[in-house]
Amino acid sequence: MTTATIEVKRTTHSRLKEVDFNNLGFGNHISDHMLIANYKKGEWHQPQIMPFGEILMTPAILSLHYGQSVFEGMKAFKNNNGEISIFRPQLHHQRLLKSLARMCMPAISEELFIESLCALIATDIDWVPATEGSALYLRPVIFATESKLGVKISDEYKFVVLSSPVGPYFAKPVRVKVEDTYVRAAEGSTGFAKCAGNYGGAFYPTQLAKEQGFDQVLWTDARDHKYIDESGAMNVMFVLDGKLVTPQLTSSILDGVTRNSLLALAKDMGMPTEERKISVAELKEGFEKGTLTEAFGVGTAAVVSTIAIINIAGKDYSLPADSNSSFQQRVKKKLHDIRMGNEPDTHNWNFNVPLK
Ligand code: COI
């Protein structure tokens, strides 16, 4: 299958003019078109691109009741030569396969996945922002659509791709609270998968943290609340004793593509890295001794988001003020320059979208 074979039904009412590209926020605008492919009788059928809008389904679709729904989040960038590339779609596809397998959902081929992304971008090419710090966010989602009330693995699914021009996810440095009561995911659960339920289950504790003035929860291990896991919408990294330290991957942590990329860039930059358990006590000691100099969240949406405050057991600990020479700012710039074509893409991360 090639993008040329994907049928496109174009909208007659573009909403592009309604978008203020200098004030995008995150996820506020969905582009004119969406891609949909259906899975029935054991196979994926030919995708179609159509105007974004409502789709008809019964309220008995299994994903609504039993949670078979997984998604991905990627970004496409317009570089300085006007070319458009998707950042590491192959790695996102590999993660999607792991999420699908965990949720007993059918695999989707890399070819169908990437061709779909490219076809949607080519259709909504005018929606790809060129403003500094912005991107076209790509949201593929697969969910169960068989209409039945019995508790079962669905035999039918939809693969939908939406896109949205976005700016930064966090407008300012974030305040996080170490969670010592609620749990996002335990070892052996679905924590590593990008499934809808992980997000729904996090809303309540995150809402409580927001009421106390925090932006995000810093999740800890489910058994003892002793070790740092991740922070809901992003993985977390610390500069401790001059080294880049991040929690090692477990079945309760999302294997972030930005996390993976930053670890590789840190090595390129000669920054020592450690993927290991990080205890809350170690962070507290790092604050007290002054050895914890940076903390930041990393993710497709969050990119590199400075953490200003970490609340541990009710006490706010402040990180030193961030500066252009900090590791997080230098690595963020390097990532940006690779995506924009200002620096050689030595890892081959940019996937160029073929445009006619
Ligand atoms: C992403 O970074 O793509 C995410 O999925 C985080 C959030 C927007 C759900």
Side-chain angles (χ1 to χ4, degrees):
M1 191 190 67
T2 65
T3 47
T5 66
I6 297 181
E7 188 195 328
V8 181
K9 203 184 283 172
R10 284 189 175 270
T11 182
T12 50
H13 295 95
S14 172
R15 291 171 283 104
L16 188 60
K17 281 198 215 72
E18 294 163 21
V19 181
D20 175 1
F21 277 85
N22 293 309
N23 190 18
L24 287 169
F26 186 89
N28 298 326
H29 311 279
I30 297 182
S31 67
D32 279 335
H33 298 89
M34 61 185 178
L35 177 137
I36 302 191
N38 294 316
Y39 180 92
K40 257 188 190 166
K41 298 197 175 23
E43 57 179 337
W44 286 105
H45 296 274
Q46 183 64 13
Q48 277 193 325
I49 291 177
M50 61 193 75
F52 169 72
E54 293 169 6
I55 48 178
L56 199 61
M57 279 172 300
T58 82
I61 59 168
L62 287 166
S63 54
L64 288 181
H65 301 260
Y66 309 124
Q68 277 184 295
S69 173
V70 306
F71 68 95
E72 269 301 318
M74 271 164 289
K75 276 181 175 167
F77 298 89
K78 190 179 275 175
N79 72 17
N80 298 334
N81 302 322
E83 295 155 346
I84 295 172
S85 60
I86 310 171
F87 191 69
R88 308 192 73 180
Q90 300 93 338
L91 196 58
H92 281 280
H93 173 257
Q94 283 171 27
R95 185 172 69 183
L96 177 66
L97 291 183
K98 289 181 193 150
S99 303
L100 289 168
R102 179 64 178 81
M103 299 302 290
C104 292
M105 295 166 69
I108 185 161
S109 71
E110 183 182 293
E111 187 192 14
L112 174 58
F113 183 71
I114 295 182
E115 296 265 354
S116 297
L117 300 173
C118 290
L120 184 67
I121 293 169
T123 308
D124 277 337
I125 186 152
D126 295 336
W127 287 77
V128 185
T131 36
E132 183 72 20
S134 57
L136 188 73
Y137 184 76
L138 302 165
R139 171 53 65 83
V141 57
I142 301 182
F143 56 98
T145 52
E146 186 180 347
S147 188
K148 207 165 252 180
L149 289 184
V151 182
K152 72 178 283 281
I153 295 168
S154 181
D155 285 330
E156 294 172 12
Y157 297 87
K158 269 191 200 302
F159 167 54
V160 177
V161 187
L162 306 175
S163 69
S164 170
V166 296
Y169 192 73
F170 293 109
K172 53 181 178 41
V174 293
R175 298 164 59 93
V176 298
K177 178 195 162 192
V178 172
E179 182 57 63
D180 52 15
T181 305
Y182 296 97
V183 168
R184 172 186 174 272
E187 282 272 15
S189 73
T190 58
F192 70 92
K194 213 159 170 62
C195 59
N198 288 345
Y199 294 81
F203 282 156
Y204 181 67
T206 305
Q207 187 55 32
L208 293 181
K210 284 188 175 165
E211 283 165 16
Q212 295 163 17
F214 302 101
D215 302 292
Q216 291 268 298
V217 163
L218 193 50
W219 297 106
T220 49
D221 70 282
R223 209 180 58 180
D224 304 317
H225 294 296
K226 206 168 150 194
Y227 296 99
I228 302 295
D229 264 5
E230 60 161 83
S231 183
M234 52 197 191
N235 295 111
V236 282
M237 294 187 158
F238 305 95
V239 177
L240 248 174
D241 271 330
K243 292 181 220 141
L244 180 67
V245 186
T246 191
Q248 72 196 41
L249 294 176
T250 64
S251 59
S252 63
I253 297 181
L254 191 79
D255 184 356
V257 173
T258 311
R259 175 189 180 280
N260 176 292
S261 308
L262 258 56
L263 283 169
L265 291 180
K267 285 177 190 143
D268 294 349
M269 294 161 76
M271 177 75 165
T273 62
E274 287 178 0
E275 294 177 69
R276 61 168 173 82
K277 284 187 168 194
I278 303 166
S279 69
V280 178
E282 186 182 357
L283 291 186
K284 197 162 167 251
E285 190 184 301
F287 277 117
E288 284 158 1
K289 289 190 173 161
T291 50
L292 176 59
T293 49
E294 297 183 38
F296 48 98
V298 301
T300 298
V303 194
V304 175
S305 291
T306 305
I307 296 176
I309 304 269
I310 302 181
N311 182 281
I312 303 174
K315 182 170 173 202
D316 281 355
Y317 291 85
S318 302
L319 273 303
D322 190 27
S323 75
N324 283 344
S325 61
S326 67
F327 173 74
Q328 58 183 298
Q329 291 307 328
R330 288 185 293 121
V331 76
K332 185 176 177 179
K333 180 173 182 319
K334 200 170 174 65
L335 182 67
H336 174 80
D337 285 345
I338 292 170
R339 289 164 160 177
M340 289 298 136
N342 301 336
E343 258 211 41
D345 178 20
T346 51
H347 295 280
N348 258 321
W349 286 340
N350 296 327
F351 182 94
N352 281 335
V353 176
L355 300 169
K356 284 166 212 119

